[in-house]
Amino acid sequence: MNRKVRTLTIAFAFLTGAVAAQEVKDDFKPSIFNQSGQLYPQVNSQGYARFKIKAPMADSVRVSLGLGGSGGTILARDADGFFIGTTAGPMDEGFHYYHVMVDNGMFNDPGALNFYGSTRWESGIEIPAQDRDFYALKDVPHGQVSQVLFPSKSTGITRRAFVYTPPDYEKDMKKHYPVLYLQHGWGEDETAWSNQGFANLIMDNLIAHGEIKPFIIVMTYGMTNEIKWGGIRNFKIDSFQTVLVNELIPYVDSHFRTLPDQLSRAMAGLSMGGMETKKIALANPGVFSYYGLLSGGTFAPDDLKTDQQKPKLVFLSCGSKENPANVKKAADELKTAGFNAVSYVSPGTAHEFLTWRRSLKAMAPLLFR
Amino acid sequence: MNRKVRTLTIAFAFLTGAVAAQEVKDDFKPSIFNQSGQLYPQVNSQGYARFKIKAPMADSVRVSLGLGGSGGTILARDADGFFIGTTAGPMDEGFHYYHVMVDNGMFNDPGALNFYGSTRWESGIEIPAQDRDFYALKDVPHGQVSQVLFPSKSTGITRRAFVYTPPDYEKDMKKHYPVLYLQHGWGEDETAWSNQGFANLIMDNLIAHGEIKPFIIVMTYGMTNEIKWGGIRNFKIDSFQTVLVNELIPYVDSHFRTLPDQLSRAMAGLSMGGMETKKIALANPGVFSYYGLLSGGTFAPDDLKTDQQKPKLVFLSCGSKENPANVKKAADELKTAGFNAVSYVSPGTAHEFLTWRRSLKAMAPLLFR
């Protein structure tokens, strides 16, 4: 997460929380991302989160989420060896990573499932969004998410990708599909778009409602360089570009029924994945036709002037708590310069996964048309 | 894990450990199941495990693994806010679940990956086995492991399965494959055979070496009833049987290129999954032709006498630290009664995943011949 954005978000939400704190509704329910049978963490209808951690002999337990003065929620000991606490204010709708500090050691919440973020498996909690229906698990035909192990000569190892194939993929063995290469953000990995992003369920639902033409999504790990906090400005794209363009795309085209041409290939990514999309798209003008930057920067018309073939679409998005004016302005300038550019702003969200779930939903109907 | 077996194992290993404790080799390396970049937990060439947990203000940190007097390893505080400790003796080769008690609260080791066992996501550590080559990730063609979401009217929910398809599955669209339905043990789920079982890599390697005819493996969650510790004797198979036989098998046969007949269908399971295999096989004599019980009980000739069509194979296995005499005796009695029965005993292992990885390797070449 961008540190500047995070700081702003916390400041805003803290004020909101301080106002709302006097009327916390007592309708807390287990988060949908709890481990099987676990009652905590819980979320109420206003977006407050409540945590309950067993640590009978601990002196202090703190949760990294919750907008308190220390940037987290300090839990209080109860009589039964548990520490309990509620966030000082409501959280943004959607998904949040967090961890638990037990006597200053960093652990995960035993009640929650883990998700890969910040270069580690972190606890995750979901604040139900008003529009959560579009990524809900429903009784519709479901596609598959397949783990693929592909050889990478350039990095000298076997690498992993997950490939979403739509529900009708197994029905007609002669049908071929366009492909979206979809990248995660810094500190995340190839599991993010399926686990916390619900990319497969978003696609299943869009397809079931006839809102998109079915396509394949390929998600792989976008970090082949060493990247530490603060080091992302020095990020070199070459190594991952080789993996993606020279190794993964040919592998996918030979192991799945793809349409292996530029007009049937898109690339998009969130945050760092947007930066990767921009760099790789510009350095490889014959490979993709659709570019999506989700909270991941913008294209200027000048960026695209050396492109011999205009992209069919430039999609730019972010959360309303990020820098929506910048995204809209960039899309307007692209449109003025004759490009097919579309901007999308996710209401009430910051640099977090509900922004990107909604961005995928908004972008998918515009691809491969 | 069977409690009786666990107690016996601990007693044996504790004695071994006490003898070997004076010559612990200083060649510790990070476990292969550590999170990216994490140096601890570590394992040495003798099978000792060493843990290092940061908890600067904690009073006590204990790891549930390691054969000490309390059935675990008590870590000692060092000067830098870490707790460090080494198991009192070498561990069995292979995979072990564990957790960390921090001031009497149960957490996972932040250095290790998590695996679903004991009805929760637990930390996992791998003690390298002498024969680990058969489940190593190698530069051979790899099959896919696909997440499938299938409708289940009987349980009223969408359920999940993972389906292994062999490397050549995408090459010849006209080829159809036999299917092994492979079940996890109590407290585990449909992720176990791929994550800690390496089922896909075992298959990839066997296929690469020409040791088996490629087949599909289907792994789903085998617990539809409420099962608590000690309640497994009252387990009723009906609910899971309906899911497997009436819902999952038809789904797989209509979404994968299977050979949808009895002669091309096997069922096997570990521990509770073996019990499920036995019950379902006997109650559905026309469905499967190959039965495998991995540390999961035995068949007697009388069990099979009502079977109109003899099974093509009964495979029985366990670890040498379980009850191998019982498994061998059962296989002998089946053979005497005219059945094709094979037993396999995993050397030096107990009721744990190396036993079952080896069992899959031993069973796979005997299926669908």
Side-chain angles (χ1 to χ4, degrees):
Chain A
M1 184 187 278
N2 180 306
R3 287 193 155 185
K4 200 168 179 183
V5 171
R6 176 188 257 170
T7 309
L8 282 172
T9 311
I10 288 171
F12 275 118
F14 182 60
L15 290 175
T16 319
V19 172
Q22 293 173 327
E23 37 168 351
V24 181
K25 289 190 185 165
D26 193 21
D27 57 359
F28 285 88
K29 290 179 186 162
S31 158
I32 62 162
F33 280 141
N34 283 7
Q35 293 194 31
S36 176
Q38 293 295 315
L39 294 177
Y40 285 86
Q42 297 192 340
V43 183
N44 82 351
S45 59
Q46 299 160 296
Y48 286 79
R50 182 166 288 170
F51 304 92
K52 184 174 180 179
I53 307 282
K54 186 174 185 182
M57 289 167 52
D59 294 313
S60 84
V61 178
R62 186 163 62 79
V63 171
S64 64
L65 201 73
L67 328 168
S70 64
T73 300
I74 294 167
L75 308 191
R77 188 200 307 268
D78 80 354
D80 302 318
F82 288 89
F83 282 76
I84 301 182
T86 305
T87 53
M91 310 293 302
D92 283 353
E93 292 186 346
F95 176 79
H96 303 276
Y97 299 105
Y98 72 101
H99 54 259
V100 180
M101 300 300 293
V102 181
D103 284 353
N104 281 14
M106 187 194 291
F107 298 93
N108 285 330
D109 184 337
L113 291 175
N114 298 326
F115 300 84
Y116 199 74
S118 308
T119 71
R120 60 183 295 273
W121 287 90
E122 287 241 308
S123 299
I125 190 170
E126 178 79 11
I127 312 294
Q130 296 297 320
D131 58 346
R132 61 188 177 274
D133 193 63
F134 80 88
Y135 53 83
L137 175 63
K138 297 190 201 176
D139 188 16
V140 299
H142 293 288
Q144 298 175 13
V145 178
S146 302
Q147 175 190 272
V148 168
L149 301 172
F150 66 99
S152 165
K153 282 193 183 166
S154 70
T155 56
I157 56 171
T158 299
R159 304 184 70 89
R160 185 166 74 161
F162 289 98
V163 178
Y164 169 81
T165 49
D168 64 355
Y169 186 81
E170 302 299 332
K171 294 296 178 190
D172 178 357
M173 292 299 154
K174 286 180 183 148
K175 192 171 172 189
H176 287 65
Y177 297 81
V179 185
L180 165 64
Y181 289 82
L182 184 61
Q183 290 304 126
H184 59 83
W186 183 88
E188 296 168 346
D189 70 7
E190 66 275 23
T191 62
W193 269 109
S194 306
N195 284 356
Q196 51 265 52
F198 290 132
N200 55 324
L201 299 183
I202 293 170
M203 291 292 288
D204 292 343
N205 290 334
L206 287 171
I207 292 167
H209 295 114
E211 294 177 45
I212 63 168
K213 250 176 46 179
F215 57 85
I216 290 170
I217 301 181
V218 177
M219 300 155 279
T220 197
Y221 186 52
M223 296 169 74
T224 52
N225 310 52
E226 285 297 320
I227 303 181
K228 305 288 183 192
W229 272 110
I232 201 162
R233 282 181 193 281
N234 306 317
F235 180 71
K236 286 202 175 55
I237 195 67
D238 310 61
S239 173
F240 175 58
Q241 178 176 278
T242 301
V243 169
L244 182 72
V245 176
N246 301 349
E247 295 172 343
L248 181 55
I249 290 178
Y251 187 91
V252 168
D253 284 339
S254 66
H255 287 77
F256 291 85
R257 299 196 314 279
T258 65
L259 291 164
D261 54 64
Q262 180 177 10
L263 280 177
S264 307
R265 207 178 284 127
M267 182 170 180
L270 72 90
S271 194
M272 181 190 79
M275 183 197 73
E276 293 179 331
T277 298
K278 181 175 175 179
K279 284 179 186 268
I280 291 176
L282 296 180
N284 299 270
V287 177
F288 304 98
S289 292
Y290 302 79
Y291 309 153
L293 311 186
L294 320 181
S295 308
T298 56
F299 281 99
D302 272 4
D303 293 330
L304 298 167
K305 70 182 175 190
T306 56
D307 229 337
Q308 295 191 325
Q309 193 175 355
K310 272 190 188 178
K312 301 279 283 179
L313 173 74
V314 176
F315 180 89
L316 306 174
S317 76
C318 70
S320 67
K321 297 183 178 182
E322 299 190 85
N323 196 338
N326 203 38
V327 159
K328 287 176 194 162
K329 179 166 165 280
D332 286 343
E333 288 172 1
L334 287 167
K335 277 185 269 194
T336 302
F339 293 97
N340 179 31
V342 173
S343 68
Y344 168 76
V345 175
S346 163
T349 61
H351 200 72
E352 50 204 20
F353 241 105
L354 184 53
T355 301
W356 306 318
R357 293 176 192 157
R358 288 173 173 163
S359 296
L360 175 58
K361 179 193 172 224
M363 178 178 66
L366 309 175
L367 299 177
F368 313 120
R369 303 197 75 96
Chain B
M1 184 187 277
N2 182 304
R3 289 193 153 186
K4 199 167 178 183
V5 171
R6 177 188 258 171
T7 309
L8 281 172
T9 310
I10 289 172
F12 275 119
F14 182 61
L15 290 175
T16 319
V19 171
Q22 294 172 326
E23 37 166 353
V24 181
K25 288 190 187 167
D26 193 20
D27 57 358
F28 285 88
K29 290 178 186 161
S31 158
I32 62 162
F33 280 141
N34 282 8
Q35 293 194 31
S36 177
Q38 294 293 316
L39 293 177
Y40 284 85
Q42 299 192 339
V43 182
N44 82 351
S45 59
Q46 298 159 298
Y48 286 79
R50 181 168 288 171
F51 304 92
K52 184 173 180 180
I53 308 282
K54 187 174 184 181
M57 289 167 50
D59 293 314
S60 83
V61 178
R62 187 163 59 82
V63 171
S64 65
L65 201 74
L67 329 168
S70 63
T73 300
I74 294 166
L75 308 191
R77 189 200 307 268
D78 80 355
D80 303 317
F82 289 89
F83 282 75
I84 302 181
T86 305
T87 53
M91 309 294 301
D92 283 353
E93 292 187 347
F95 176 79
H96 304 277
Y97 299 105
Y98 72 101
H99 53 259
V100 180
M101 299 301 292
V102 181
D103 283 353
N104 280 15
M106 187 192 292
F107 298 93
N108 285 329
D109 185 337
L113 291 174
N114 297 326
F115 300 83
Y116 200 75
S118 307
T119 72
R120 60 183 296 272
W121 287 90
E122 287 240 310
S123 300
I125 190 170
E126 178 79 12
I127 311 295
Q130 296 298 319
D131 57 346
R132 60 189 177 273
D133 193 63
F134 79 88
Y135 54 83
L137 175 63
K138 297 190 201 176
D139 188 16
V140 298
H142 294 288
Q144 298 175 14
V145 179
S146 301
Q147 175 189 272
V148 168
L149 301 172
F150 66 99
S152 165
K153 283 192 182 168
S154 71
T155 56
I157 57 171
T158 299
R159 304 185 70 89
R160 185 166 74 162
F162 289 98
V163 178
Y164 169 82
T165 49
D168 65 355
Y169 187 80
E170 302 299 333
K171 294 296 178 191
D172 178 357
M173 292 299 154
K174 287 180 183 147
K175 192 171 172 187
H176 287 65
Y177 296 81
V179 185
L180 164 63
Y181 289 82
L182 185 61
Q183 290 304 126
H184 59 81
W186 182 89
E188 297 169 343
D189 70 8
E190 67 274 24
T191 63
W193 269 108
S194 305
N195 285 357
Q196 51 266 51
F198 290 131
N200 55 324
L201 299 183
I202 293 170
M203 291 292 288
D204 292 343
N205 290 334
L206 286 171
I207 292 167
H209 295 115
E211 293 177 45
I212 63 168
K213 249 177 47 179
F215 57 84
I216 291 170
I217 301 181
V218 177
M219 301 157 278
T220 198
Y221 186 52
M223 296 169 75
T224 52
N225 309 52
E226 286 296 322
I227 305 178
K228 306 286 182 194
W229 271 111
I232 201 160
R233 282 181 193 280
N234 306 317
F235 180 71
K236 286 203 173 54
I237 195 69
D238 310 61
S239 174
F240 175 58
Q241 179 176 277
T242 300
V243 169
L244 182 73
V245 177
N246 301 350
E247 296 172 343
L248 181 56
I249 290 178
Y251 187 92
V252 168
D253 283 340
S254 66
H255 288 76
F256 290 85
R257 299 197 314 278
T258 64
L259 291 165
D261 54 64
Q262 180 176 10
L263 279 178
S264 306
R265 207 179 285 126
M267 182 171 181
L270 71 89
S271 194
M272 180 190 80
M275 182 197 73
E276 293 179 332
T277 298
K278 182 174 175 179
K279 283 178 187 271
I280 291 176
L282 295 181
N284 299 270
V287 177
F288 304 98
S289 292
Y290 302 79
Y291 309 151
L293 312 185
L294 321 181
S295 306
T298 56
F299 281 99
D302 271 3
D303 294 329
L304 299 166
K305 71 183 174 190
T306 56
D307 229 338
Q308 294 190 327
Q309 193 175 355
K310 272 190 187 178
K312 301 278 284 179
L313 172 74
V314 176
F315 180 89
L316 306 173
S317 76
C318 69
S320 67
K321 296 184 178 181
E322 299 191 84
N323 196 338
N326 203 36
V327 159
K328 287 177 194 162
K329 179 165 164 282
D332 287 343
E333 288 172 1
L334 287 168
K335 277 185 270 194
T336 303
F339 293 97
N340 178 30
V342 173
S343 68
Y344 168 76
V345 176
S346 163
T349 62
H351 201 71
E352 51 204 20
F353 242 105
L354 184 55
T355 301
W356 306 318
R357 294 176 192 159
R358 287 173 174 163
S359 295
L360 175 59
K361 180 192 172 225
M363 178 178 67
L366 309 176
L367 300 178
F368 314 120
R369 306 199 73 97

